[in-house]
């Protein structure tokens, strides 16, 4: 599909009007849950019906989607480590999935013999540690039922264990969050950001003495809440926000490393499901309701 141009007028920094130009990178008749751009600028997308697609490179003039795999569930987000191993948060399986010898396997589906609610979003740091939010579908956790969690799966230290993909699972935040959704981690794994949708805020965890310590990084007002995160190379955190289907335009907040709002980027949809950056941080990619992947120049 040839890229088409969407132009929306909105506010940057709340002080001046500027045009935000969005291009439709790819569209589908199926509901699209997330988009992920690798460090090599390869684009992947997760569809609600269980398909994981390879959409090609970010600079391709024409997208030709290729089926990568089918999970048999409802994949919500994708992460790919430096060894090109794929990890998938899947609501249908209530598990964090991966691939082994060409097959889909459940890497994590329970903690201390209790089933997960449903992994929502996954991120991998530069050391191969896997972080994911566990929220279940929207409504499973809420303000009056804040039982969402964040987990970390760390590789076992021995080389043989690492080759076999053996992990130690530990909670980072346990049974205390109102729909934790987006997650992002610094490359060194020492700073972790979590979008807590139903409290309309971003949490920031700093690793000290081997443990993460969390505080409120940014408190939003208005709209339903943050849904997805992408961390830039300069420390800027891009936050996709969702709201009622009646709201026409969405917003992506750009937050500085110190937790101040740099600017607000308008988006053609208030149902922003996934967000990702290219390797040079020149373009921002989003997946929105209605089955579209869009991009805009930063």
């Amino acid at each position: 599909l040839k890229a088409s141009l969407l132009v929306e007028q909105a506010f940057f920094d709340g002080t001046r009007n500027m045009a935000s130009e969005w291009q439709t990178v790819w569209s589908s008749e199926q509901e699209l849950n997330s988009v992920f751009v690798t460090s090599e600028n390869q684009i992947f997308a997760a569809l609600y019906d269980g398909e994981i697609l390879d959409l090609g490179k970010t600079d391709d003039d024409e997208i030709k989607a290729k089926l990568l795999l089918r999970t048999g569930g409802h994949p919500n987000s994708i992460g790919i480590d430096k060894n090109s191993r794929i990890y998938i948060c899947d609501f249908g399986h209530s598990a964090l999935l991966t691939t082994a010898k060409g097959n889909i396997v459940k890497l994590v589906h329970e903690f201390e013999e209790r089933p997960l609610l449903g992994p929502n979003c996954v991120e991998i740091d530069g050391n191969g540690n896997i972080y994911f939010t566990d929220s279940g579908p929207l409504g499973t956790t809420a303000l009056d039922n804040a039982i969402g969690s964040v987990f970390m799966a760390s590789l076992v230290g021995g080389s043989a264990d690492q080759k076999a993909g053996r992990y130690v699972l530990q909670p980072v935040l346990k049974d205390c969050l109102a729909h934790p959704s987006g997650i992002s981690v610094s490359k060194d794994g020492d700073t972790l950001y979590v979008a807590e949708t139903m409290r309309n805020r971003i949490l920031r965890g700093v690793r000290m003495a081997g443990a993460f310590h969390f505080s409120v990084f940014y408190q939003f007002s208005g709209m339903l809440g943050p849904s997805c995160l992408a961390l830039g190379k300069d420390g800027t955190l891009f936050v996709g926000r969702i709201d009622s289907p009646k709201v026409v335009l969405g917003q992506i907040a750009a937050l500085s490393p110190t937790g101040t709002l740099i600017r607000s980027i308008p988006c053609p949809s208030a149902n922003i499901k996934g967000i990702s950056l290219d390797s040079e941080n020149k373009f921002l990619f989003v997946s929105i309701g209605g089955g579209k992947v869009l991009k805009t120049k930063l």
Side-chain angles (χ1 to χ4, degrees):
L1 296 175
K2 292 290 184 181
S4 61
L5 193 63
L6 297 172
V7 180
E8 300 290 348
Q9 189 74 28
F11 290 98
F12 280 77
D13 297 331
T15 59
R16 55 199 174 108
N17 284 324
M18 295 183 68
S20 177
E21 296 182 344
W22 288 90
Q23 289 180 311
T24 300
V25 176
W26 183 76
S27 61
S28 169
E29 295 180 356
Q30 303 294 327
E31 190 61 28
L32 176 66
N33 278 346
S34 69
V35 61
F36 179 79
V37 182
T38 70
S39 58
E40 289 79 31
N41 289 328
Q42 197 79 16
I43 311 171
F44 294 91
L47 273 63
Y48 180 79
D49 69 359
E51 293 183 346
I52 306 296
L53 302 179
D54 181 347
L55 302 183
K57 294 284 189 177
T58 57
D59 57 357
D60 288 348
D61 292 328
E62 188 173 354
I63 294 295
K64 294 181 179 179
K66 298 178 182 178
L67 178 64
L68 187 65
L69 55 88
R70 288 188 175 93
T71 70
H74 303 305
N76 200 60
S77 70
I78 312 163
I80 299 177
D81 67 15
K82 59 185 178 182
N83 297 316
S84 300
R85 190 177 187 186
I86 190 168
Y87 300 89
I88 305 160
C89 286
D90 194 295
F91 280 163
H93 291 288
S94 295
L96 178 66
L97 309 177
T98 189
T99 55
K101 297 181 179 179
N103 298 315
I104 297 290
V105 296
K106 292 183 179 181
L107 183 66
V108 181
H109 64 94
E110 63 180 11
F111 179 71
E112 295 181 341
E113 299 183 350
R114 193 180 83 178
L116 298 179
L117 300 173
N120 189 317
C121 189
V122 60
E123 274 275 289
I124 301 108
D125 68 20
N127 300 311
N129 299 308
I130 305 165
Y131 306 80
F132 65 93
T133 52
D134 184 36
S135 66
L138 196 64
T140 304
T141 64
L143 287 175
D144 61 350
N145 187 37
I147 58 171
S149 303
V150 176
F151 289 96
M152 177 176 70
S154 303
L155 279 166
V156 177
S159 59
D161 290 319
Q162 290 183 4
K163 288 180 180 178
R166 296 191 179 97
Y167 295 85
V168 174
L169 183 67
Q170 56 185 310
V172 178
L173 290 166
K174 185 75 169 66
D175 297 339
C176 61
L177 302 176
H179 197 78
S181 51
I183 192 168
S184 204
V185 64
S186 60
K187 188 175 181 179
D188 60 13
D190 288 338
T191 307
L192 185 64
Y193 298 91
V194 178
E196 189 178 13
T197 303
M198 292 308 169
R199 289 194 173 112
N200 208 4
R201 66 185 183 177
I202 305 298
L203 305 178
R204 176 176 176 263
V206 178
R207 194 194 300 268
M208 296 187 292
F212 280 104
H213 299 269
F214 282 85
S215 62
V216 177
F217 182 66
Y218 195 86
Q219 180 67 59
F220 289 100
S221 61
M223 306 194 74
L224 181 63
S227 60
C228 47
L229 305 176
L231 186 62
K233 293 194 293 186
D234 64 353
T236 300
L237 185 68
F238 294 89
V239 183
R241 303 170 67 193
I242 59 172
D243 208 347
S244 162
K246 295 181 180 180
V247 177
V248 177
L249 293 180
Q251 289 185 11
I252 297 167
L255 304 178
S256 75
T258 57
T260 58
L261 180 65
I262 301 171
R263 62 174 178 168
S264 185
I265 304 171
C267 183
S269 171
N271 188 8
I272 302 173
K273 295 188 169 187
I275 188 170
S276 195
L277 293 159
D278 72 331
S279 62
E280 299 300 320
N281 289 188
K282 292 181 179 179
F283 289 92
L284 185 68
F285 292 77
V286 298
S287 53
I288 62 173
K292 289 184 178 181
V293 174
L294 310 178
K295 75 174 182 179
T296 189
K297 191 173 182 178
L298 295 173

